[in-house]
Amino acid sequence: MSAGFHLIDRSLEPIAAKVLAGERLSAADGLALYRSHDLLGIGQMADHVRRRLNGDRVHFMVNRHINPTNICENRCKFCAFSRSAGQKGAYEMTLDEIVARARECVPEGAHEVHIVGGLHPEWPFEFYVEMIAALRDALPAHVIIQAFTAVEIEFYAQISGSTTLEVLRRLKEAGLDAMPGGGAEIFSERTRLAAWDKKTSGEDWLRIHGEAHSLGIKTNCTMLYGHIETLEERIDHLVRLREQQDASGGFLAFIPLAFHPANTELSNLPGTTGFDDLKTLAIARLMLDNIPHIKAFWIMVGLKVAQLSTAFGVDDIDGTVVEERITHMAGATTPEALSKDELVGLIAETGHTPVERDTLYTVVRVYDGCDDLAAADGK
Ligand code: V47
Ligand code: SF4
């Protein structure tokens, strides 16, 4: 036993002491954690931090993802979802289709619609403003609209000849409540130039989230890992997110996105392992001391790792989702949707308390004393 944790790798003892004292970890500490093979030791430390921040609660939500178009000007090398205009498999939804899909989730008890799409070369900015206004009009107030990554916001500023701050103001006025965390990838310029050169830089991604926070728009943040990045670049990414949170304070959750290589220009790469997924989630919990929630997106890490991750620092496994294209087009073998009962059952089996939440982590329902699926029948 070492410093309250059972560490096999004794070189982690100074880090364990910091964790117990509630002290911030340095970039060097983060790297030492990544270089260690003591997954269970790292997991215990992350679980300690998780319990301090979130008790025994593990969150989930009833939501619906909608991807209005896959036509995209950027064509990032890691993306299997996007198509060029006119290419086989390209699609675009009408406003009515988008609203109809969003409405479908209301009788299911949804508290969020999550909208992310490609950078369409012909849709004007006004279309996105109309989309948000039409969704706000069609949905009850408790359904939160979480839409558009910082990459999309930057694109709307370019096509409308406006600033990103003004774009965010207009979307907020139309009914945008929150922004998802996508598009951050890895902040390193080296990786960006090699694999997503047309996309928003790390500096701009962080600035746009800071602007959203200044307007009261809460956001999430992500890191796409398991492709061409180094461990140093992962840690640099986490430190920069932590600095942004110190400055603007509006990040709700961090979601590491496990790279899926199939059908991408990086399909020669192997993708992530369960070991790396759990380690990355746990290190995120330890490094991001100022971000309240760490989410394992079950679609990307798989149900088994998502469930296990609740012992490795994770307090959120996302939602019912319903329809998912980005990861499935890149080879994900998870289902596209889960029921509320399935999510409650997965969490309850781990001994944590399943908590249904909305996008802003307002509690919808606590499934107290729930030991099995039968208790999660919504009655
Ligand atoms: O921005 C693209 C990533 C993101 C691949 O904020 C890929 O709550 C893995 O951001 N393999 C979109 N990842 C998804 C996203 C997200 C998902 C769930 C919850 C939240 C949230 C945000 O997916 C993109 C990109 O970073 N991505 N291609 C791929 N082949
Ligand atoms: Fe376009 Fe996003 Fe895919 Fe990049 S990741 S090609 S920006 S849809």
Side-chain angles (χ1 to χ4, degrees):
M1 189 71 91
S2 167
F5 305 111
H6 187 81
L7 298 179
I8 293 165
D9 180 353
R10 305 295 294 264
S11 75
L12 297 181
E13 279 176 11
I15 297 177
K18 280 191 184 179
V19 170
L20 280 176
E23 279 174 36
R24 179 162 279 195
L25 301 188
S26 65
D29 293 333
L31 210 50
L33 290 167
Y34 256 127
R35 295 218 164 108
S36 171
H37 294 103
D38 189 359
L39 179 62
L40 293 182
I42 297 166
Q44 286 168 63
M45 290 190 260
D47 189 56
H48 175 83
V49 175
R50 189 203 91 98
R51 282 178 191 283
R52 198 168 65 216
L53 294 172
N54 288 292
D56 75 346
R57 298 182 296 281
V58 173
H59 301 90
F60 72 97
M61 73 184 320
V62 182
N63 63 350
R64 162 138 208 173
H65 282 217
I66 303 172
N67 307 122
T69 180
N70 64 349
I71 299 175
C72 185
E73 293 206 333
N74 272 6
R75 307 308 310 273
C76 306
K77 287 189 181 165
F78 59 77
C79 179
F81 162 75
S82 65
R83 295 287 180 276
S84 299
Q87 192 185 347
K88 191 164 174 263
Y91 74 86
E92 52 189 34
M93 294 179 191
T94 64
L95 197 54
D96 287 348
E97 279 166 349
I98 296 163
V99 172
R101 276 168 202 251
R103 272 189 212 269
E104 278 170 15
C105 68
V106 178
E108 307 296 324
H111 280 77
E112 173 186 283
V113 290
H114 173 117
I115 300 179
V116 178
L119 311 180
H120 194 293
E122 279 160 23
W123 287 357
F125 174 50
E126 290 310 319
F127 178 72
Y128 301 96
V129 178
E130 266 176 56
M131 187 194 300
I132 297 296
L135 287 167
R136 193 60 288 160
D137 208 37
L139 297 169
H142 69 265
V143 180
I144 290 183
I145 303 172
Q146 184 186 48
F148 310 138
T149 66
V151 176
E152 290 163 279
I153 299 295
E154 185 186 51
F155 181 69
Y156 306 156
Q158 283 161 8
I159 59 175
S160 63
S162 173
T163 63
T164 48
L165 188 61
E166 193 47 36
V167 162
L168 287 165
R169 257 200 209 108
R170 291 276 318 276
L171 291 169
K172 184 177 155 87
E173 271 167 25
L176 181 80
D177 300 302
M179 274 167 63
E185 321 318 356
I186 288 276
F187 292 141
S188 145
E189 267 301 275
R190 184 193 72 82
T191 53
R192 188 173 79 86
L193 294 174
W196 53 91
D197 59 337
K198 289 203 198 147
K199 199 171 212 169
T200 316
S201 69
E203 286 73 24
D204 286 331
W205 190 98
L206 289 163
R207 176 184 51 76
I208 292 164
H209 279 259
E211 289 173 355
H213 298 169
S214 76
L215 296 176
I217 301 170
K218 297 287 187 194
T219 72
N220 287 336
C221 50
T222 58
M223 172 175 80
L224 181 71
Y225 68 100
H227 44 90
I228 57 167
E229 85 288 3
T230 63
L231 295 182
E232 285 84 354
E233 286 166 337
R234 290 190 195 182
I235 293 295
D236 173 66
H237 186 94
L238 296 178
V239 169
R240 287 166 78 177
L241 286 174
R242 189 168 74 182
E243 286 168 359
Q244 183 62 48
Q245 181 75 335
D246 280 342
S248 58
F251 289 129
L252 293 168
F254 172 71
I255 310 122
L257 303 174
F259 174 55
H260 281 59
N263 309 315
T264 74
E265 285 186 55
L266 303 176
S267 60
N268 57 315
L269 296 175
T272 67
T273 60
F275 194 86
D276 191 16
D277 294 335
L278 286 175
K279 206 186 208 185
T280 298
L281 287 157
I283 292 173
R285 180 61 291 164
L286 289 165
M287 291 298 291
L288 299 176
D289 52 14
N290 54 1
I291 297 187
H293 305 285
I294 302 292
K295 190 199 282 190
F297 186 36
W298 63 263
I299 293 259
M300 287 208 190
V301 291
L303 286 170
K304 292 182 179 181
V305 169
Q307 192 186 33
L308 282 176
S309 73
T310 62
F312 287 78
V314 163
D315 68 282
D316 191 342
I317 59 169
D318 203 80
T320 48
V321 181
V322 182
E323 184 178 340
E324 204 283 335
R325 296 174 193 242
I326 296 171
T327 330
H328 283 86
M329 292 182 86
T333 52
T334 43
E336 273 192 74
L338 278 187
S339 70
K340 184 156 83 168
D341 290 1
E342 286 169 313
L343 287 163
V344 171
L346 278 172
I347 297 168
E349 192 187 350
T350 66
H352 296 97
T353 302
V355 175
E356 184 180 347
R357 64 164 179 97
D358 71 8
T359 313
L360 306 175
Y361 286 84
T362 306
V363 172
V364 174
R365 180 173 167 190
V366 177
Y367 291 79
D368 241 343
C370 164
D371 293 326
D372 55 30
L373 272 176
D377 62 2
K379 294 185 186 111

